[in-house]
């Protein structure tokens, strides 16, 4: 199961801790969103629909437990959640897990260990969210939707298939032959390499108009590469 490209929301009122978590997660290939209190977290959750939540238990306005209960009960979301807190009592840990958290990390903690715990939870629960996100560009395979910063992209079926393959193989160089096999697995049409070039040119233009970036780089003599970072 591909873990990179998952969007993670960090809810922590301490700016330094929040930024530290953000840096480690982004360096590990995840897209991050931030909230400094429980109310902001609710608004951000509704806006970005993340795939994972790292949340402090003690937050201004709305606590981590209340936020988790709101996500589970009112939003009916199964998003994986790790709680991070300075509370070490067994009752607090049990309370967090009962509220709906998948794991519990106490402060102080190692950022590298937190990333490892995120990956461990994702391996068990990645099926709960099939979205892939990089730099504001989001793909929803089951819904066959693509968007940039929440604004939908109007893609043809072939453009969507190409973008899906690129994002599933981010930072890898894909040959024209590999891309042709993705579009025409049964070789139902007589196609040439130039067909891929046309589809990608159109896809790039749509990405550029929406985001100001093309995301897809030409690798001369080989093929194309989706630049995720």
């Amino acid at each position: 199961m591909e873990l990179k490209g998952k969007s993670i929301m960090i809810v922590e009122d301490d700016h330094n801790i929040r930024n530290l978590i953000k840096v480690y997660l982004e360096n590990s290939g995840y897209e991050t969103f931030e909230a400094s209190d429980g109310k902001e977290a609710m608004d951000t959750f509704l806006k970005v629909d993340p795939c994972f939540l790292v949340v402090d238990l003690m937050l201004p306005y709305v606590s981590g437990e209340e936020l988790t209960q709101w996500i589970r009960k009112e939003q009916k979301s199964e998003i994986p959640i790790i709680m991070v807190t300075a509370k070490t009592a067994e009752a607090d840990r049990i309370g967090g897990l009962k509220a709906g958290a998948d794991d519990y990390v106490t402060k102080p903690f190692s950022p590298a260990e937190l990333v490892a715990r995120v990956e461990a939870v994702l391996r068990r629960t990645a099926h709960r969210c099939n979205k892939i996100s990089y730099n504001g560009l989001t793909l929803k395979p089951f819904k066959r939707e693509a968007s940039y910063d929440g604004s939908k992209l109007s893609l043809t079926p072939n453009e969507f298939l190409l973008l899906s393959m690129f994002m599933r193989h981010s930072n890898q160089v894909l040959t024209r032959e590999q891309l042709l096999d993705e579009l025409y697995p049964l070789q139902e049409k007589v196609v040439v390499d130039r067909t891929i070039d046309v589809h990608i040119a159109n896809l790039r233009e749509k990405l550029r108009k929406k985001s100001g970036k093309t995301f897809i780089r030409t690798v001369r003599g080989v093929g194309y590469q989706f630049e995720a970072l």
Side-chain angles (χ1 to χ4, degrees):
M1 178 72 72
E2 176 59 47
L3 301 183
K4 307 311 180 196
K6 298 293 184 183
S7 55
I8 300 178
M9 184 165 74
I10 307 161
V11 189
E12 166 63 63
D13 59 333
D14 186 309
H15 172 76
N16 292 330
I17 295 176
R18 190 171 69 248
N19 189 63
L20 184 64
I21 296 172
K22 171 186 172 71
V23 168
Y24 269 76
L25 287 173
E26 290 185 350
N27 286 344
S28 297
Y30 300 100
E31 182 170 41
T32 64
F33 301 96
E34 300 176 63
S36 59
D37 61 63
K39 286 184 178 179
E40 183 184 4
M42 288 179 171
D43 292 338
T44 304
F45 181 88
L46 294 174
K47 179 181 177 182
V48 305
D49 186 23
C51 277
F52 201 104
L53 187 71
V54 175
V55 58
D56 187 20
L57 192 61
M58 300 175 67
L59 294 169
Y61 308 119
V62 178
S63 72
E65 282 188 8
E66 291 171 324
L67 175 62
T68 299
Q69 290 171 343
W70 175 79
I71 288 172
R72 293 288 187 245
K73 295 180 180 179
E74 294 191 32
Q75 300 306 309
K76 303 187 187 313
S77 172
E78 294 184 345
I79 174 178
I81 298 173
I82 287 182
M83 282 188 173
V84 180
T85 182
K87 291 185 175 181
T88 58
E90 182 181 47
D92 294 318
R93 295 197 301 273
I94 292 174
L97 295 172
K98 282 187 174 180
D102 294 274
D103 201 356
Y104 196 103
V105 177
T106 57
K107 298 178 182 177
F109 59 88
S110 158
E113 180 186 352
L114 177 60
V115 172
R117 283 177 176 262
V118 166
E119 293 182 344
V121 172
L122 269 176
R123 279 193 290 271
R124 301 196 308 266
T125 64
H127 62 281
R128 298 184 193 173
C129 182
N130 290 281
K131 289 194 314 176
I132 308 172
S133 298
Y134 288 110
N135 301 321
L137 184 62
T138 298
L139 191 83
K140 296 182 179 180
F142 290 165
K143 293 185 177 181
R144 299 187 72 81
E145 291 178 359
S147 62
Y148 181 78
D149 280 354
S151 179
K152 287 186 179 179
L153 287 158
S154 179
L155 303 180
T156 67
N158 281 339
E159 290 165 358
F160 182 87
L161 284 174
L162 283 173
L163 184 59
S164 176
M165 188 170 186
F166 278 126
M167 293 182 74
R168 285 186 285 110
H169 299 86
S170 61
N171 296 319
Q172 296 180 31
V173 178
L174 301 176
T175 66
R176 287 180 173 84
E177 183 178 3
Q178 288 175 304
L179 296 169
L180 282 170
D181 287 343
E182 179 75 5
L183 294 191
Y184 307 107
L186 303 179
Q187 297 183 340
E188 35 192 52
K189 297 181 180 180
V190 176
V191 293
V192 295
D193 287 355
R194 189 60 59 185
T195 302
I196 288 295
D197 295 336
V198 172
H199 286 315
I200 290 178
N202 292 336
L203 175 58
R204 275 174 163 167
E205 181 62 16
K206 291 180 179 180
L207 291 172
R208 186 192 63 76
K209 284 184 176 179
K210 186 70 71 172
S211 69
K213 298 174 284 189
T214 61
F215 288 95
I216 302 166
R217 183 174 71 91
T218 299
V219 181
R220 290 190 178 278
V222 184
Y224 296 94
Q225 180 185 37
F226 180 86
E227 297 183 310
L229 299 175

